[in-house]
Amino acid sequence: MQITSPEFKQNARAALADPNLQKALRHVRSNFIDKRAKAAGALPEFEALRDNARDIKNHTLAHLDLYLEAYEDRVRQAGGEVHYAETAETARDIIRSICERAGAKTVTKGKSMIAEEINLNDYLEEHGITPVETDLGEYIIQLRHEPPSHIIAPAVHLTREQVEESFRKSHTDLAPDRDLTEPTELLAEARAKLRERFLAADVGITGANFLVAETGTSVIVTNEGNGDLTQILPRVHIVIASIEKITPTLNDVSQIMRLLARSATGQDMSVYTTFSTGPRRPEDPDGPDEYHVVILDNGRTGMLGSDFQEALRCIRCGACMNHCPVYHAIGGHAYGWVYPGPIGAVLDPQLIGVDKAGNLPNASTFCGRCEAVCPMRIPLPNMMRHWREREFERHLSPAVARYGIGFWAFFARRPRLYQWATRLAMRVLANRAIGKGRYTSLPLAGGWTKYRDFPAPEGRTFQEQWSARRKAS
Amino acid sequence: MVGAEEGVVSDREVILGKIRRALAADGNDVGRRAIVIARLEGTPRGIIPERGQLPQEERVALFTTMAEKVSATVGRIAALEDVPRAVAEFLRKHNLPASLRIGADPLLADLAWDGTQIAVSHGPSDGGDPVGLSHAVAGIAESGTLVLTSGPDNPTTLNFLPETHIVVIRAADIAGDYETVWDEVRETYGKGHMPRTVNMVTGPSRSADIEQTLLLGAHGPRRLHIVVVG
Ligand code: SF4
């Protein structure tokens, strides 16, 4: 996708002023947090599993080269092919050449953040291959030519009305006066439309939540079943995954699986967890004839042995953004690249460059909620701090940001920008205090909140209220 | 092989080399290799939740509760020969077509469908079958999960294309946790080997992509009915 991270500030401003987005974001705040808390609370071993999952991934990363080799051997033994890609460009080339050899016209796709990362859809289209997203959320945003705004709920920024509008615009063969007021009707329409595409596709491309070294298996986790139809119906199945998806054994996967759905959606288990090993066997009546795995680096080896190594434990559950007051206020698009929220603020500067995404780690209140809920115990706020320090050292931050006093002077000379910045802060603070109206801790105000609760802003700044009153009178 | 293949080989070496440099590790280090082999062979179980560690009857009860919690329906019958009657009853009750697609599973092969007026056909699904019937090799009480394996006995397409999926499972095959099922898979297929597909299925298909509203029947079956035998 196109990178707009350098315009983070403008993006955030636009997001705050977008009524549809603000309406849609309410669902994030109200839904994900309670569900996760309930599911985690119902499993007494949850915290111990988090420790074990962290240890499993640390062990894997320390032996990543050897587990990759073991994994690769097993895939080959099962009749599959493994392709390594150091860069996005190589990954795209490999996928295109497999598609071309298969004579592919249409390709169905399960949800894959790696495919977003390497900009696969645009590339395939440029080469005359039509990609069809099959996850409902991904399908909706593909119709709208938008990137995903969340790593597990790609269309979370949209309202039902916007989805209806997109379906009417795209599905022009259906009766224009059909009733689409209920979400079930929208789902039924998408299901029927995509059924045709599933059965017609030549190649299916999925991501992977895990690659299992013990057996050479790729694992996908979905609720819809779209990933399964994507990989069992076409003649060729391509898996695209990054190096850190390697997990030693099926037991290790099961340990982490117990955290994934609970942290993501508050389910004990997602509906479909599918383990795929190689192409169809001689006696199999269904399944793909060819099975390929493309393993992508794209900058991740640069995180090994660095301050950011621990971020490679991430299982992309989305909990950090679901609990992030900044994400609640501005949504995912404002971050300007594939990974939004706290994990995006850590990954994006590494993957697309600190010159482009170096300002994302500034969008943090250091409230620590992301780290508190991250199932893999990734110290996200610390890592954001590391990026800030690096940015400072590289003198990439505007000179005024280097000293607090310069910061205020900068805003004092730019009243409109000041208004925007305080509005953002107010919104963030007001969201954080949902239902409480009080904080017990505030970043950078420890001296105050240590002894008393800080009152939650009512949601509007003094300047806003002042001008509203002036207009009213 | 196509031209890209040359690049593929070198990308492999570049990536492995970068990893080894970053970790200051040696790919031939015998000690490191031994650690990796020990884990792959030893397959440590980790932390197993107490929840599923129950005697069989209670395990079946937990499995049922958990499956119903995620909107599956569960029926229980005493013996295998009761399957046709139980299936016919379910289809009638929900006003579903009396038409069934089944694989070649020996457990389901000798059932007498004659008395049920259900039209039974065999093989994988091409999308035209309203109801699929499968046999799950295992269940997991902890989360109400079914485990199905690919092959002619239970074609994978039956798990996803029909609108209604009915799954037969023997009570004795319901385990407490995933790890126990993996032990059985290792025993059946050999260490390090798997059938092409293992599907863990927990409830019928769903999506919450429109305003976070949970809707059943996204791309997979709208209905999942489980028949526990024994
Ligand atoms: S950083 Fe942690 S909470 Fe965020 S997506 Fe990754 S695993 Fe989930």
Side-chain angles (χ1 to χ4, degrees):
Chain A
M1 69 186 261
Q2 211 194 334
I3 298 168
T4 68
S5 306
E7 288 86 52
F8 181 50
K9 216 173 340 185
Q10 292 92 307
N11 295 348
R13 186 187 301 152
L16 285 171
D18 179 341
N20 276 325
L21 175 66
Q22 292 302 324
K23 187 174 164 218
L25 284 172
R26 280 208 302 263
H27 299 291
V28 177
R29 288 200 292 274
S30 58
N31 258 304
F32 285 117
I33 295 180
D34 293 350
K35 285 186 184 157
R36 178 210 165 265
K38 239 188 178 165
L43 185 69
E45 294 86 354
F46 192 76
E47 295 304 316
L49 281 162
R50 286 175 74 185
D51 290 339
N52 194 34
R54 175 200 56 206
D55 296 347
I56 290 170
K57 276 286 181 185
N58 283 348
H59 164 84
T60 314
L61 292 171
H63 302 89
L64 188 57
D65 51 331
L66 302 179
Y67 280 120
L68 273 166
E69 288 178 349
Y71 166 77
E72 187 189 330
D73 279 351
R74 286 297 188 195
V75 177
R76 298 228 160 92
Q77 277 172 29
E81 283 187 49
V82 177
H83 313 258
Y84 285 85
E86 196 200 349
T87 62
E89 197 185 353
T90 312
R92 288 191 300 252
D93 278 348
I94 293 167
I95 293 172
R96 174 170 58 98
S97 82
I98 298 169
C99 289
E100 283 175 354
R101 252 187 296 149
K105 290 195 183 59
T106 66
V107 167
T108 41
K109 285 184 63 213
K111 203 175 88 59
S112 156
M113 296 312 293
I114 301 295
E116 297 288 342
E117 188 179 320
I118 66 170
N119 223 346
L120 185 60
N121 283 359
D122 289 348
Y123 178 83
L124 289 177
E125 243 163 312
E126 280 162 27
H127 289 84
I129 300 163
T130 309
V132 181
E133 294 290 350
T134 61
D135 170 86
L136 178 60
E138 289 280 349
Y139 176 69
I140 293 166
I141 60 170
Q142 190 183 28
L143 294 181
R144 300 173 61 89
H145 306 286
E146 286 177 2
S149 67
H150 189 288
I151 60 174
I152 65 156
V156 78
H157 60 286
L158 297 171
T159 61
R160 192 207 56 79
E161 290 79 8
Q162 289 173 298
V163 177
E164 176 179 350
E165 181 196 301
S166 301
F167 279 21
R168 289 198 188 282
K169 214 181 267 171
S170 306
H171 303 158
T172 46
D173 54 323
L174 300 175
D177 57 351
R178 67 194 185 281
D179 190 0
L180 288 178
T181 44
E182 288 301 320
T184 43
E185 288 151 352
L186 293 166
L187 178 70
E189 185 163 314
R191 179 182 165 113
K193 279 278 161 206
L194 282 166
R195 222 5 118 81
E196 304 160 14
R197 312 306 291 263
F198 279 126
L199 294 164
D202 308 294
V203 173
I205 301 177
T206 68
N209 293 80
F210 307 95
L211 302 175
V212 193
E214 180 190 352
T215 49
T217 300
S218 57
V219 185
I220 59 167
V221 177
T222 76
N223 277 321
E224 298 182 6
N226 65 304
D228 289 280
L229 292 175
T230 298
Q231 67 181 38
I232 54 176
L233 295 175
R235 226 176 42 68
V236 179
H237 176 201
I238 304 174
V239 179
I240 166 111
S242 48
I243 52 171
E244 81 280 13
K245 290 286 179 284
I246 292 279
T247 313
T249 68
L250 295 165
N251 288 359
D252 294 329
V253 169
S254 305
Q255 294 282 298
I256 302 173
M257 251 162 43
R258 290 192 177 90
L259 302 171
L260 178 56
R262 288 184 173 90
S263 301
T265 53
Q267 292 167 281
D268 285 356
M269 180 85 166
S270 301
V271 177
Y272 301 113
T273 304
T274 298
F275 299 76
S276 308
T277 314
R280 84 156 76 180
R281 310 284 158 83
E283 68 280 8
D284 282 353
D286 47 23
D289 296 330
E290 286 179 40
Y291 174 84
H292 299 266
V293 185
V294 181
I295 299 183
L296 178 73
D297 178 356
N298 209 24
R300 286 165 176 80
T301 45
M303 297 167 76
L304 277 176
S306 83
D307 290 339
F308 305 103
Q309 170 162 331
E310 292 182 90
L312 293 173
R313 292 201 299 262
C314 175
I315 53 171
R316 306 284 188 266
C317 72
C320 55
M321 56 201 76
N322 292 341
H323 290 74
C324 175
V326 176
Y327 184 95
H328 290 166
I330 62 175
H333 285 160
Y335 289 81
W337 197 56
V338 178
Y339 304 103
I343 186 61
V346 170
L347 280 183
D348 297 354
Q350 171 70 27
L351 299 185
I352 57 175
V354 72
D355 54 325
K356 294 196 186 71
N359 51 6
L360 300 186
N362 294 324
S364 164
T365 64
F366 289 108
C367 66
R369 276 213 232 163
C370 50
E371 184 175 359
V373 298
C374 172
M376 305 307 287
R377 299 207 190 280
I378 300 170
L380 294 157
N382 242 338
M383 291 183 174
M384 285 187 244
R385 211 167 277 133
H386 284 314
W387 277 124
R388 285 194 188 185
E389 282 160 18
R390 287 200 187 184
E391 198 192 358
F392 183 85
E393 282 160 19
R394 283 160 184 248
H395 301 283
L396 280 175
S397 55
V400 286
R402 267 180 241 155
Y403 304 98
I405 192 75
F407 180 78
W408 290 112
F410 173 79
F411 278 117
R413 280 194 306 269
R414 295 165 180 80
R416 302 203 57 173
L417 189 56
Y418 178 76
Q419 279 169 8
W420 170 78
T422 46
R423 258 204 313 274
L424 172 62
M426 287 292 145
R427 197 75 66 98
V428 166
L429 294 177
N431 288 345
R432 273 194 65 195
I434 330 165
K436 283 188 291 190
R438 300 267 130 182
Y439 304 101
T440 48
S441 84
L442 253 192
L444 307 177
W448 176 300
T449 54
K450 208 164 163 192
Y451 300 106
R452 69 209 91 189
D453 282 358
F454 192 87
E458 294 298 307
R460 296 169 83 198
T461 65
F462 173 74
Q463 285 191 29
E464 273 182 308
Q465 295 186 29
W466 175 255
S467 69
R469 249 175 243 189
R470 267 224 310 236
K471 263 180 223 141
S473 60
Chain B
M1 271 299 176
V2 283
E5 199 63 16
E6 264 166 53
V8 173
V9 173
S10 72
D11 274 37
R12 176 184 187 277
E13 267 129 45
V14 169
I15 292 173
L16 292 177
K18 278 186 171 180
I19 293 171
R20 283 170 184 146
R21 269 195 304 284
L23 297 173
D26 180 350
N28 298 316
D29 182 331
V30 189
R32 288 180 82 232
R33 281 202 180 266
I35 291 171
V36 166
I37 291 167
R39 188 165 196 105
L40 292 177
E41 305 256 303
T43 60
R45 286 166 69 89
I47 290 153
I48 310 297
E50 278 297 308
R51 186 196 277 180
Q53 309 307 302
L54 300 164
Q56 183 180 312
E57 261 320 293
E58 288 165 52
R59 219 158 51 218
V60 174
L62 176 64
F63 172 83
T64 306
T65 309
M66 296 309 285
E68 285 172 349
K69 195 175 136 196
V70 291
S71 309
T73 50
V74 184
R76 187 150 184 197
I77 54 176
L80 210 55
E81 56 261 30
D82 297 335
V83 167
R85 188 188 43 79
V87 168
E89 253 169 41
F90 174 80
L91 295 179
R92 244 194 328 271
K93 187 173 154 204
H94 295 277
N95 240 341
L96 295 166
S99 160
L100 207 57
R101 187 87 172 162
I102 317 180
D105 197 297
L107 193 83
L108 309 173
D110 300 328
L111 298 174
W113 297 99
D114 309 350
T116 62
Q117 294 172 340
I118 296 175
V120 176
S121 65
H122 292 270
S125 180
D126 62 0
D129 312 293
V131 187
L133 179 73
S134 309
H135 164 218
V137 295
I140 294 149
E142 186 184 329
S143 50
T145 300
L146 295 163
V147 181
L148 298 116
T149 49
S150 60
D153 289 357
N154 293 283
T156 307
T157 36
L158 290 183
N159 303 344
F160 295 97
L161 285 171
E163 289 222 349
T164 299
H165 192 205
I166 305 177
V167 180
V168 174
I169 181 168
R170 279 193 294 227
D173 293 335
I174 295 174
D177 50 79
Y178 314 102
E179 287 79 355
T180 301
V181 174
W182 293 133
D183 281 341
E184 285 160 19
V185 168
R186 288 181 195 110
E187 205 157 287
T188 311
Y189 294 87
K191 268 198 157 188
H193 300 284
M194 288 273 269
R196 190 197 81 243
T197 305
V198 175
N199 291 118
M200 288 192 178
V201 177
T202 313
S205 157
R206 67 201 58 199
S207 174
D209 274 343
I210 301 170
E211 288 193 346
Q212 302 291 293
T213 312
L214 185 72
L215 305 170
L216 292 184
H219 294 296
R222 285 175 218 262
R223 256 189 218 88
L224 174 67
H225 183 63
I226 303 170
V227 182
V228 179
V229 183

